Amino acid sequence: MLDLQSKLPDLGVTIFSTMSALAQQLGALNLSQGFPDFPAPPELIEALGRASSAGFNQYAPGDGLPVLRALVADLYTQRDQLALDPTQEITITPGATIAIFCAIQAVVRAGEEVIIFDPSYDSYAPTVQLVGAKPVHIALQHPDFSVDWDQVKEAINGRTRMIIVNTPHNPTGSVWSRQDWQQLIELIRNRNIVVLSDEVYEHLVFDGIQHYSALSFPELRERSFVVGSFGKTFHVTGWKTGFCVAAPALMKMFRQVYQFASFCGVTPVQVALAEYLQQHPEHIPQLSAFYQAKRDLFNSSIQHSRFKWTPSHGTYFQNLDYSAIRPDLEDVEMCQYLAHEHGIVTIPISVFYQQPPKDLRLLRFCFAKQEQTLLQAGEILSKV
């Protein structure tokens, strides 16, 4: 008789799987999980077919195709005037989540601590726990989800090994300013602390706001992992392809773990992405305007509703405050109410917290959808 104990006993099925299953069960409009309901660029799909037909179906180099790593380096040169070595500083991974996992595994040890800002992506804390370290959760300040830097200063101690940053931020849509980064730099300047910067929505920033990468600050250059996502950028979340960028010393440690977690990414996907990036350099510069138009369409469609909101500054998520509608319901209950009574499915913000504020009445809606989907959602929400 086996006597085994789960390493993550408090975790069950994710809220994303739960809500998507509910949408399917009820035939409801699904604005919960973060994926587009519109097709990827046709040229990209065609490139994937060509790559597979041409025989690119065996293992890629463990660190990623050299041409794709070079193209990632070019993106940082163009945007941040940052010269990266594709050979030593960039690794292509099968998705951003595994890059996050490997970065944490590479440098965090049992008994150490990792600071996480809540609400936070649900993979951070479990990964920290799996290495025997302690997640230290610091709640962002509602309603603008800014960082209380005094709390961060108090939380840092000799056991703090890593601080995880997510900008643009899922689920709130907030974006770190240069001042935010400077505050972080001052707090960790003389400490043995690594920064893990989750920047998968780096190209989805709105209203002229600038995205600052951790790598663009010289003080953070040698102590930061930055994670990005081709899936988010090219509307192909199912391709599960991302990347990690770090200085050579950190990247060496990252690759020591990564080679045993996955070894390499999917070869024809990398070939297709490289071809598309070379032939369509206009795609990335157009992303902000593309998604801002979707955000604005969604928000304008609910302007006569009873929901309240501040326009998202980044990502493809918009939070709506329902406190003027059903303040008696907690957000998980509100999601059930909207699904069963109004036929629309969303995500409760409380699930992104270790300890959510009791008065939180926010829901996350994904606007990476076709215009007709967004207009249909607006029509439903305006009647709630």
Side-chain angles (χ1 to χ4, degrees), residues 234-291:
F234 295 99
H235 323 312
V236 284
T237 60
W239 286 19
K240 291 298 293 177
T241 303
F243 59 88
C244 182
V245 184
L250 284 182
M251 184 53 70
K252 180 180 179 180
M253 298 174 72
F254 176 92
R255 288 174 175 175
Q256 287 172 336
V257 172
Y258 172 69
Q259 65 184 329
F260 299 113
S262 180
F263 174 65
C264 70
V266 180
T267 305
V269 165
Q270 294 185 53
V271 173
L273 287 167
E275 178 183 317
Y276 186 78
L277 265 168
Q278 290 171 310
Q279 296 183 0
H280 295 276
E282 76 284 354
H283 177 91
I284 288 177
Q286 292 174 353
L287 273 180
S288 289
F290 175 79
Y291 275 112

Side-chain angles (χ1 to χ4, degrees), residues 41 44 68 70-80 199-206 211 228-235 243 273-274 276-292:
L44 181 58
L68 187 55
L71 288 166
V72 171
D74 289 344
L75 293 174
Y76 280 89
T77 300
Q78 295 164 16
R79 187 189 65 194
D80 303 316
E199 302 179 15
V200 298
Y201 297 100
E202 60 187 322
H203 303 298
L204 280 61
V205 287
F206 314 131
H211 166 72
S229 168
F230 295 109
K232 301 291 190 300
T233 300
F234 295 99
H235 323 312
F243 59 88
L273 287 167
Y276 186 78
L277 265 168
Q278 290 171 310
Q279 296 183 0
H280 295 276
E282 76 284 354
H283 177 91
I284 288 177
Q286 292 174 353
L287 273 180
S288 289
F290 175 79
Y291 275 112
Q292 182 172 329

Side-chain angles (χ1 to χ4, degrees), residues 87 159 170 249 293 321 366:
T87 303
R159 295 182 299 278
N170 174 21
D321 184 324
C366 176

Side-chain angles (χ1 to χ4, degrees), residues 286-351:
Q286 292 174 353
L287 273 180
S288 289
F290 175 79
Y291 275 112
Q292 182 172 329
K294 291 186 177 295
R295 179 205 66 177
D296 292 346
L297 177 64
F298 177 67
N299 289 347
S300 65
S301 74
I302 57 171
Q303 61 181 323
H304 299 302
S305 74
R306 294 190 289 164
F307 289 94
K308 301 174 184 176
W309 68 92
T310 299
S312 172
H313 290 157
T315 75
Y316 44 52
F317 301 113
Q318 176 65 58
N319 289 346
L320 300 185
D321 184 324
Y322 65 88
S323 57
I325 303 171
R326 289 296 304 270
D328 58 309
L329 298 181
E330 294 185 354
D331 59 359
V332 175
E333 296 171 326
M334 186 64 177
C335 285
Q336 292 288 339
Y337 168 75
L338 289 177
H340 288 277
E341 301 299 326
H342 294 277
I344 188 167
V345 173
T346 181
I347 295 289
I349 296 297
S350 65
V351 301

